Structure formats: C-alpha cells, structure tokens
C-alpha cells in the first residue's frame, strides 16, 4: 500500500511540474439501476495558440445517443443499421450538462446547431495565448446499450469510451467533429486524475494507473495518467483483461484465446513488441491497453469468410495476427496525435505496412485460404495461391476496376464503408511498401522512427512526415504525396515493344503509360521464373525507352512482385523477341483470379426450369473473373429434357467508365435467348441495348439511377395450322429511366417507361415507397399509371394487365408464361396493376390504367394488403377493382405468398378451390439474391 501511495504522490508531483498540457480531473459515481454516471469535472485548459480566444468548444459525445437526429443517429441509418433508430428510450443515452463555471462564475454555453454532441462555451473574458483557464462542469451521462457502437452497457457491465467532456483541438481554427461511430475523436493529451465509485460486485479496468479502496457497499477507484488521451473504462463482474509483461512495458488486453498456452502467448507478445519497435521505436508509456472492441469495430475481419471452426490456418495464427493488428493500432494511435478524419491514411498506412512486413517475416507462405489451398481440384487455382500479403493489391484492384476507389485524402466520413475499412488502408499500406522498395528499406524505416520520436504525444499531421521523408531521400517524391495520395488516379503501364540492339548486346525497352499518373515503374528480367534483373524507371509521362543488357531473358515484366497497386496487371509481360504471345486458353470451373499467362474462360453448371422445356441443364461459359473486365461475354447452351431441344442464351457487353462526369458508366451490349413459351412453341429474342448509369452524389449514397434504351426483336413460333398475327413477330423500341434509393428506413423508387411498337405507343410509371415504423413493421405503397398515346393493335397482348401482364418483353422469370390455370398460373410477379386475385371480369386495359397497391405489417413477415385500380379500354366505360388479403413476406421479392380474402366480386376465402387462388413469389435470380444480401456493405 505504501508503494502504491508513493506512486500516486510521484505522479501528482510530475504533473505539477509539466507545462503545456491540459489537465482533467473527474469525480464520478455509477448508478447501475438507472445506468448513469454523475460527474463533476474540472478541465484546466491552456491556450497554446497564438490567438486570443473568447470561446472554447468541448466534445460531448455522450450526448450523441440522444435521438435519431444527432449526427450519430443519421450515420447509423446511412450505414444500413436500424436498431438504434427504433430503440426504446431506456436503451439510448444522453449527456445532461447542468452547469459550467469558471472561478465560481457561471458561463453561457449551448449545443452547436445540428451537432448536439459539441458544446460551445462563451468565456467571460478573453483568454490570451499561453494563459490558462479552469472550467468546472457538472453533468449526468446516461449510458446507452453497447450494441449500437460497442460502447456502453454490456451483458455483464459497462464498456466505456468517449464518455466524458473533452476540449476540442484548436489548429488554425477549431477542429470540431461529431461522433460518427468511427472512433476517431481528435483530442490532445492531458494529465488525468479520476475518482469513481462503483458497486462492490463490479471490477474496474482501464488504461490508467489505478488504486482501489474498498468501502462498505462500493469500491472507490482512484485513477491517474500522465500525457494520456482516450480514457477507456471496462466495468464488469469479472476481470476481462490479461496482463503480458515485456522488458519495457506491460500489455493489458482482452484479446486472448484461452486455448493458447500463456507462456507461448507471452513470447508472441514480446516478439511483436520487438518487431514494432524495430520499425518505429518505443512506446512512451509503460502500460498499454489493447482493447479488442476498438480494433474489431473498424475493420472487416475475415472478409474472405472462412469460419473459425474450420481452422484453416496454423495454430495460433489468427489470434497472433489479430493481436498484432490491435497492438500496432495502439502503438500508432496512442502516440501520434493526428486528425484521423483527414490524415487517417498515414496511421492506416503505417499499420498495414507493419502488418505486411510482419507476415512477410514470419508467415510468408500462408495463403488466404490456409490449408484449404492444398485441396485437390482447388490447389491449381490462382485464388488458392493468393498469399496473405497479396490480398491488399487484390482488393484495391477489385475496387479500382469498378471506379469505386477514393483518394486517400478523402475525409474518412465521406468514404464508403468498404473503402474506409479495407481498400484505403490497403492502398496506403501498399504505398509504404512502394516507397520502401523505391527508396530502399532503411530510408523509410529511419524516417518512420524519426517521425514517431519527434512527434510523439503532440499534435501533428501528415505534412510533418512528408518533410522528414523528403529530407532523408534524394529522390523526387512529389508523385507519392501528390497524385498517389491526393487523387484516385490509377497506375497502369505496359511494355509497348522490345528492340534487340545486337551491336550493343542490349535491349531497347519502350514502356507506355496508359493512364494519367506518372509514378515510378519497376522493370524485371525473368528467366526460368526467377528474377535476374530489376530496375526502377521514373518520369514515364507517355512513353519512355531505356536500354538494358541482353541477358537472354525469357520475358520482361513490370511490377512482377506486385509491389505497388495497379489498375491492370494483365499487360505487364512481353517476350524479348517481340513475338506476339499467343496465350493459350485456360478453362476454369466457376471463377478464379485473372492470370496474365492465359486467356481464361470460366464455366459453371446452369440449371433452369419452365413448364414447357422442363428441367433445363447446360453450361455457362464466360470471361468474368473475380475482378471483372470491361468487356465480358456469356454463352449458355442448354438442353431441355421435356421439349428435347437445344435452348440457351448469350450476351456481350462493354462497360465504358467515366471518371469526371455525372455519368458513372455506359454499358453497350447485345443479348439474346431461345426457350419455349408454350408446349412445342419456342421464341427467339435479340436485343441490342445501351444502359447509361448515373453517378451517385457520393459513394456513401445507396441506390442507383440509370437510363436504358434498347430494341427488342421477338420471334415467336406458331402452330403450322395457325395464321401469323402481330403478336407472333414484333419489335419494340424501349426507353426506361429508373431511380432507386433503398434507404433502411424509407425506400423510394420510381421508373418511367416508354414503348414504341409498330402499332402502338405507350407510357407508364411505377412508383414504390416503403416506410418502416419499427424494426419489423412497415407500410408499403406502390402506384402504377399507364396510358396508350395511340393503340392500333389487336387483342390484349400489348395491353396493361391487372393481375398479370403478357410479359411480351420477356423480362420476367415465369415458370409457365402461357398458363391460364393450374399451379404455374399462380406465380406472381409485380407488374402493371399488381393485383393478386383472379377476376371473372375482363382485367386488361388497352387505353388507360391506374392502380395502387398497399400493404401493412401486422406481425413479423405477415402483412395485410389492399389494392385499388381503375381500368379504361377503348369504347368502354372505366372499370374499378378492389381486393385485400394476407401477404406472407418471408424474403421480400424472393420468397412470398399471397392469400386473397375479399375482392369487389365478394369473399374469396369461402369459395370453392380456394388453393388455386393463392399466389406465390419464388425467384431463382442469383443477382436479386446477391443484391439483397450485399446492401450496406459497399
């Protein structure tokens, strides 16, 4: 006890002689009944700027859980999470500030408009540079459930972060930031002292030194820390953190696998500390808290999706890598005080770079799929050979090829979730690997050490690192700190030609820059799959020719070791004899990563069904690698067992992307198919199309906008005894504009459609709106309106249908498209009038139709639907229809059932053969299922 008391006295003495650090003292009491902290806080704030201050801002992130309209509430909805939006009042949190004083005088304060987690305090007098003011605040924090952000009330206690008032940083103006569930609060270090009372049954663990005094009904904790920030408290019935001791520090962590031997775990931790310190230096604090929740939350762990129970990796590998990620994160973020909304690329880059170096040193041969890479049939795939350190370039290219990548200087709160958690950290880490190889390893390592030492525990930014690296290098690095960091320009070089200079025994190699960034490019000479020559080439703006010695290479290659991220690596190889490399065709089952040595064709089984063809089996051939090309093709020959015919489909398409335009891409293509639409009657479709997809305002916006224009040629086979009519062979020019915004709370979509046939012109619109009232209950509205500008067609083949259209464009996946009775006639696809019931009265309109379809949730996936419609045909009066029933919406638009109850023709439920009136939705479209599952990720 005496030793602990002396430790506290020494700490307080050290704080008293330190200058230029704020100090924060907190006295708090935890109420576990109401889940509140009653806090009295003193902040000694030093004006370290060169300006007079008349106001001070405090971050009050505890108040970000107040309602749905805080920046956090809105952000969670944007992230496709609705649990907080529909949470109960007692599950949320708030921070209620009773008063703020200075020298016993009350100060005026207010919440910043539209940012209720930031407090603006008006000072009673000017605070000059280097002067000090002490602010006293009395407030209560209601702790929310931890399920929303990972911080708050847990199952057995509390895990607290960002729970107290913190002064905002002033750097050329106030750096204000609201809580957006990104754990990136920009705060300066301070000297902390905390006193907190908690019930006796609970334990407290933190990233401060602590002393515990037991009282009758509670435990009193005294916590202190010098030059600290981001105070984390873990309060629970059992202690969760384990301590590992190293030569220079002790590591407290809740990231631990109980199956791992403690001695081995301690050896791993010591190994990792030594590795990190070799690259960046020593952590200034002797006690480091490694909080697993902090690390897990802002990364997509195991994105390749292998369950833990399969154990694909060597023993302890997953825990070791996960802990290394957490440890490097604390080494960087505890010590380097940057604004991670702006300069996240630097911390992310260093962390990813260290991870890549660690894996390269200790696990260079571990693949992404671990031991499963050796399974027969899979081991020859390029995907099976993908090493752990190959995935960074792979995921960058996956995003860049679709132009979903964003510049590393894009504010973190403007990045898509996938870019923030995966792509941008990977690109930043690859950038450091790029620098390491281009400069040489020691220059980068020494610069990182210098930056870590000089900028330790003080406000800094990426410019400081840039100055250090530029000073230590004699090479031009403007390309890196310019285009590579500040833009999403993509690197793509190719070897244009190789000329043999026999008189000089050398090769003249011409390299072409295919894009608009001039970055260093590495050239390799390869013989027997080994690197025999390597050099770096700079200043390749358009083309550049260099001379190298002719050493009888098998081939020359660019970026052979995949050091830097590249847009397209398929054009990086060329033989010295300039022979046109005729790449052999390689067939791969399902999919694989692209291979520069082959023209790949992928094949997979294709199974379909319709009533007339029966079971349809075939093989789909395509060139769609996991990372798609701009040009793609699909050819699917099938055999139909019932019709005993060869059927199938094909498509060809080319995507033209636009980098700086309101148009995201234009897809040009043609498609066609041949199947049966009735017994022994086939149809052929041929359709050229142009699809213009418009760019989203930001990549965080969900939804899409596109304009489709196409001509559909249809040729339907007829019985030999029948006479051909206009519905047997026709062509239609179609224009369709679709706007879709599938928000997690409110979803809105509309389509405007125009069709121009030989004998008719028609226009229609389809508007849909979905509003959730709770997590499980919603209201759904659809409006359809359509009219013929003129209509000289015969019959109702091209008319609007009330409960089922004729689908003359062959867009719908119907099992029995010509059936008027039986099970397959009951298949339901939302189109035209959208009614589910069958009517005795004629239910087509060849002039005008308007309908409204509504449904309201009543319990889980059960809904009540009500539909209204007006139909008008030529030379007849308007007709009105009504229906209601029960909808079982198990998976929206994928698996549903409709049970009609009442229509304007009477009750349906008590009529004969009621089962024949039930409608169902079953889709076999993999695209629709995939789009349903992927929402909120990209």
């Amino acid at each position: 006890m005496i030793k602990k008391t002396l430790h506290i006295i020494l700490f307080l003495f050290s704080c008293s002689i330190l200058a230029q650090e704020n100090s924060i003292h907190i006295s708090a009491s935890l109420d576990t009944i109401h889940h509140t902290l009653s806090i009295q806080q003193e902040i000694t704030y030093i004006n370290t700027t060169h300006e007079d201050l008349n106001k001070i801002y405090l971050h009050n992130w505890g108040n970000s859980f107040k309602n749905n309209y805080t920046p956090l509430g809105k952000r969670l909805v944007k992230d496709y999470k609705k649990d907080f939006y529909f949470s109960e009042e007692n599950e949320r949190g708030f921070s209620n500030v009773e008063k703020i004083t200075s020298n016993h005088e009350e100060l005026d304060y207010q919440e910043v408009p539209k940012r209720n987690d930031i407090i603006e305090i008006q000072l009673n007098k000017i605070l000059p540079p280097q002067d000090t003011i002490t602010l006293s605040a009395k407030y209560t924090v209601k702790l929310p459930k931890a399920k929303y952000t990972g911080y708050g009330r847990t199952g057995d206690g509390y895990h607290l972060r960002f729970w107290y008032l913190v002064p905002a940083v002033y750097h050329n103006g106030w750096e204000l930031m609201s809580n957006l569930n990104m754990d990136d609060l920009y705060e300066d270090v301070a000297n902390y002292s905390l006193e907190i009372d908690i019930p006796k049954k609970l334990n407290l663990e933190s990233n401060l030194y602590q002393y515990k005094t037991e009282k009758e009904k509670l435990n009193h904790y005294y916590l202190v820390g010098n030059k600290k920030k981001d105070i984390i408290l873990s309060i629970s019935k059992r202690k969760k953190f384990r301590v590992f001791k190293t030569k220079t520090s002790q590591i407290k962590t809740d990231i631990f696998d109980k199956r791992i031997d403690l001695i081995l775990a301690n050896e791993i931790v010591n190994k990792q500390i030594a590795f990190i310190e070799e690259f960046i230096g020593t952590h200034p604090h002797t006690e480091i808290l490694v909080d697993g929740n902090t690390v897990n939350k802002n990364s997509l762990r195991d994105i390749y999706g292998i369950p833990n129970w399969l154990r694909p990796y060597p023993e302890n590998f997953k825990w070791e890598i996960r802990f290394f990620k957490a440890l490097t994160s604390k080494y960087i973020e505890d010590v380097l005080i940057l604004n991670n909304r702006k300069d996240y690329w630097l911390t992310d880059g260093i962390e990813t770079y260290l991870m890549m170096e660690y894996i390269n040193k200790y696990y260079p041969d571990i693949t992404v799929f671990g031991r499963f890479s050796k399974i027969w049939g899979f081991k020859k795939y390029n995907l099976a050979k993908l090493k752990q350190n190959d995935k960074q370039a792979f995921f960058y290219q996956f995003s860049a090829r679709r132009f979903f990548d964003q510049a590393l200087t894009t504010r973190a709160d403007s990045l898509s979730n996938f870019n923030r958690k995966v792509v941008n950290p990977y690109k930043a880490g690859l950038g450091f690997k790029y620098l390491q190889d281009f400069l040489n390893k020691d220059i980068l390592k020494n610069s990182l050490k210098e930056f870590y030492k000089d900028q330790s525990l003080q406000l800094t930014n990426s410019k400081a690192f840039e100055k250090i690296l530029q000073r230590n290098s004699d090479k031009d690095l403007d390309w890196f700190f310019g285009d590579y960091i500040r833009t999403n320009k993509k690197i793509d070089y190719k070897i244009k030609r190789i000329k043999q200079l026999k008189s000089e025994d050398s090769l003249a190699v011409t390299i072409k820059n295919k894009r608009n960034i001039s970055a260093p490019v590495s050239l390799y000479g390869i013989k027997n799959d080994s690197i025999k020559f390597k050099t770096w080439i700079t200043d390749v703006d358009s083309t550049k020719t260099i001379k190298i010695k002719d050493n009888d290479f098998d081939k020359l290659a660019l970026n052979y070791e995949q050091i830097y991220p590249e847009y397209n690596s398929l054009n990086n190889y060329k033989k010295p004899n300039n022979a046109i490399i005729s790449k052999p065709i390689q067939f791969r089952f399902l999919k694989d990563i692209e291979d520069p040595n082959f023209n790949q064709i992928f094949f997979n089984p294709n199974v379909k069904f319709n009533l007339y063809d029966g079971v349809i089996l075939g093989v789909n051939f395509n060139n769609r690698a996991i990372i798609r090309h701009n040009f793609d093709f699909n050819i699917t020959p099938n055999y139909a067992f019932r019709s005993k015919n060869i059927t199938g489909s094909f498509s060809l398409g080319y995507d033209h992307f636009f980098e700086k335009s309101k148009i995201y891409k234009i897809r040009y293509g043609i498609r066609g198919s041949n199947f049966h639409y009735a017994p022994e009657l086939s149809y052929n479709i041929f359709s050229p199309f142009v699809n213009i997809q418009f760019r989203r305002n930001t990549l965080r916006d969900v939804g899409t906008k596109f304009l489709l224009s196409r001509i559909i040629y249809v040729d339907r086979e007829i019985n030999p005894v029948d006479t051909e009519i206009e519905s047997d062979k026709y062509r239609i020019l179609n224009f369709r504009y679709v706007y879709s915004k599938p928000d997690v709370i409110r979803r809105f979509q509309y389509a405007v459609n125009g069709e121009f046939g030989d004998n008719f012109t028609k226009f229609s619109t389809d508007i849909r709106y979905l509003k959730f009232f709770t997590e499980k209950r919603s209201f759904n509205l659809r409006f359809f309106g359509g009219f013929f500008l003129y209509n000289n067609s015969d019959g109702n083949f091209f008319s609007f249908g009330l409960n089922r259209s004729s689908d003359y464009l062959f867009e719908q996946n119907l099992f029995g498209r010509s059936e008027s009775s039986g099970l397959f006639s009951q298949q339901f696809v939302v189109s035209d009038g959208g009614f589910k019931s069958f009517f005795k009265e004629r239910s087509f309109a060849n002039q005008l139709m308007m309908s409204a379809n509504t449904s309201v949730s009543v319990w889980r996936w059960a809904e009540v639907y009500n539909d209204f419609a007006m139909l008008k045909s030529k030379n007849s009066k308007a007709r009105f229809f009504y229906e209601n029933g029960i909808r079982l919406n198990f998976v929206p638009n994928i698996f549903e059932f409709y049970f009609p109850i009442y229509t304007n023709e009477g009750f349906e439920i008590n009529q004969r053969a009621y089962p024949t009136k039930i409608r169902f939705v079953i889709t076999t479209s993999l695209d629709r299922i995939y789009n349903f599952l992927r929402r909120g990720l990209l």
Side-chain angles (χ1 to χ4, degrees), residues 487-503:
T487 73
N488 65 342
K489 293 180 179 180
K490 298 157 185 62
I491 300 171
D492 188 14
Y493 293 97
K494 68 173 289 186
I495 299 175
K496 187 176 181 181
R497 61 177 170 268
I498 302 172
K499 184 177 181 181
Q500 292 181 317
L501 305 175
K502 295 183 179 180
S503 60

Side-chain angles (χ1 to χ4, degrees), residues 70 488 543:
T70 66
N488 65 342
T543 59

Side-chain angles (χ1 to χ4, degrees), residues 61 149 151 161-162 181-185 293-294 297-298:
W61 280 19
T149 64
Y151 309 119
R161 193 179 183 198
F162 312 122
N181 196 28
M182 293 163 56
D183 296 353
D184 59 350
L185 179 60
N293 189 66
T294 301
K297 196 176 109 177
N298 287 298

Side-chain angles (χ1 to χ4, degrees), residues 776-794:
K776 303 295 184 181
R777 299 191 62 186
S778 63
F779 169 73
N780 204 332
L781 170 66
R782 173 181 179 266
F783 171 80
F784 176 83
F787 68 95
F788 283 85
L789 192 63
Y790 80 92
N791 186 6
N792 296 325
S793 61
D794 297 324

Side-chain angles (χ1 to χ4, degrees), residues 87-358:
S87 61
E88 300 292 336
E89 189 70 29
N90 63 355
E91 296 179 322
R92 300 186 179 190
F94 59 79
S95 176
N96 180 29
V97 180
E98 296 180 29
K99 64 178 180 179
I100 298 177
T101 63
S102 178
N103 293 326
H104 306 291
E105 295 183 8
E106 288 201 19
L107 301 177
D108 292 332
Y109 63 92
Q110 64 177 3
E111 294 176 356
V112 173
K114 298 182 179 180
R115 306 175 78 176
N116 69 325
D117 52 3
I118 304 173
I119 297 174
E120 178 187 285
I121 303 172
Q122 296 290 335
L123 302 181
N124 290 337
K125 60 179 181 179
I126 295 295
L127 182 65
Q130 307 309 313
D131 209 347
T132 301
I133 186 173
T134 299
L135 303 174
S136 297
K138 184 179 181 182
Y139 59 103
T140 301
V141 176
K142 168 71 181 302
L143 302 172
K145 283 198 169 182
K147 64 180 181 179
Y148 309 124
T149 64
Y151 309 119
R153 292 146 50 192
T154 62
D156 65 343
Y158 305 86
H159 189 76
L160 306 183
R161 193 179 183 198
F162 312 122
W163 53 275
Y164 55 93
L165 299 177
V166 179
V169 171
Y170 189 99
H171 180 71
N172 297 324
W174 289 102
E175 301 273 5
L176 305 180
M177 54 176 61
S178 289
N179 183 6
L180 298 179
N181 196 28
M182 293 163 56
D183 296 353
D184 59 350
L185 179 60
Y186 187 28
E187 56 179 311
D188 203 350
V189 293
N191 301 318
Y192 281 89
S193 59
L194 279 70
E195 296 182 71
I196 182 168
D197 293 324
I198 65 173
K200 205 172 185 65
K201 62 182 179 180
L202 299 177
N203 297 290
L204 184 146
E205 297 169 283
S206 74
N207 55 342
L208 298 174
Y209 175 83
Q210 61 190 54
Y211 174 62
K212 173 183 171 183
T213 302
E214 295 188 4
K215 297 186 177 181
E216 184 178 352
K217 294 184 179 180
L218 52 82
N219 289 327
H220 178 82
Y221 283 88
Y222 188 83
L223 300 91
V224 290
N226 177 29
K227 287 192 172 184
K228 290 274 191 173
K229 69 183 186 74
D230 190 13
I231 306 306
I232 297 173
L233 302 182
S234 177
I235 303 171
S236 61
K237 294 178 182 178
R238 60 182 179 84
K239 291 187 175 182
K240 297 182 178 181
F241 286 79
R242 189 178 296 274
V243 177
F244 295 100
K245 293 185 178 180
T246 71
K247 293 180 181 179
T248 58
S249 60
Q250 63 177 16
I251 311 298
K252 296 166 61 176
T253 183
D254 59 349
I255 305 176
F256 186 71
D257 189 335
K258 294 180 181 179
R259 296 170 296 182
I260 301 176
D261 178 74
L262 277 175
I263 296 176
L264 175 61
N266 200 70
E267 291 175 356
I268 291 173
V269 171
N270 275 272
K271 176 179 73 174
Q272 293 182 349
I273 292 288
F275 183 89
I276 294 170
E277 291 182 351
E278 177 190 349
F279 276 84
I280 60 175
T282 306
H283 197 292
H285 295 133
T286 56
E287 193 170 273
I288 305 169
L289 183 84
V290 181
D291 173 26
N293 189 66
T294 301
V295 177
N296 298 338
K297 196 176 109 177
N298 287 298
S299 63
L300 290 179
R301 294 173 53 208
D302 301 334
I303 48 182
Y304 16 88
I306 302 179
N308 287 332
W309 57 270
L310 289 175
R311 298 189 177 181
Y313 305 113
E315 196 71 23
N316 306 329
F317 173 80
K318 289 193 73 172
W319 174 81
E320 182 175 342
I321 294 305
R322 182 186 172 206
F323 187 80
F324 184 80
K325 176 177 174 54
L327 186 60
T328 53
S329 175
K330 300 305 291 184
Y331 252 78
I332 302 300
E333 294 173 16
D334 278 0
V335 179
L336 298 177
I337 307 173
L338 301 103
N339 184 339
N340 278 322
R341 292 263 167 105
K342 300 176 181 177
D343 273 339
Y344 63 87
W345 72 265
L346 182 57
T347 54
D348 284 352
I350 297 174
E351 291 170 23
T352 305
Y353 165 68
L354 290 177
M355 175 65 77
M356 295 176 73
E357 288 295 297
Y358 186 82

Side-chain angles (χ1 to χ4, degrees), residues 16-81:
S16 66
I17 61 174
L18 289 170
Q20 298 301 309
E21 267 100 39
N22 300 331
S23 64
I24 294 177
H25 176 76
I26 295 174
S27 296
S29 177
L30 175 64
D31 179 350
T32 56
I33 304 298
H34 300 97
H35 307 294
T36 59
L37 277 173
S38 299
I39 298 175
Q40 181 69 48
Q41 179 174 346
E42 284 191 358
I43 302 172
T44 301
Y45 179 82
I46 304 170
N47 181 4
T48 57
T49 75
H50 300 291
E51 302 178 29
D52 293 335
L53 300 179
N54 61 4
K55 63 179 69 173
I56 292 176
Y57 290 89
L58 301 179
H59 285 117
N60 183 26
W61 280 19
N63 205 38
S64 58
F65 300 89
K66 187 175 182 179
N67 56 48
N68 292 333
Y69 308 105
T70 66
L72 175 64
K74 295 176 181 177
R75 177 80 176 193
L76 291 173
V77 169
K78 286 283 188 181
D79 286 341
Y80 237 78
K81 299 174 182 177

Side-chain angles (χ1 to χ4, degrees), residues 1 346 370 476 593:
M1 179 175 175
L346 182 57
D476 180 16
I593 296 174

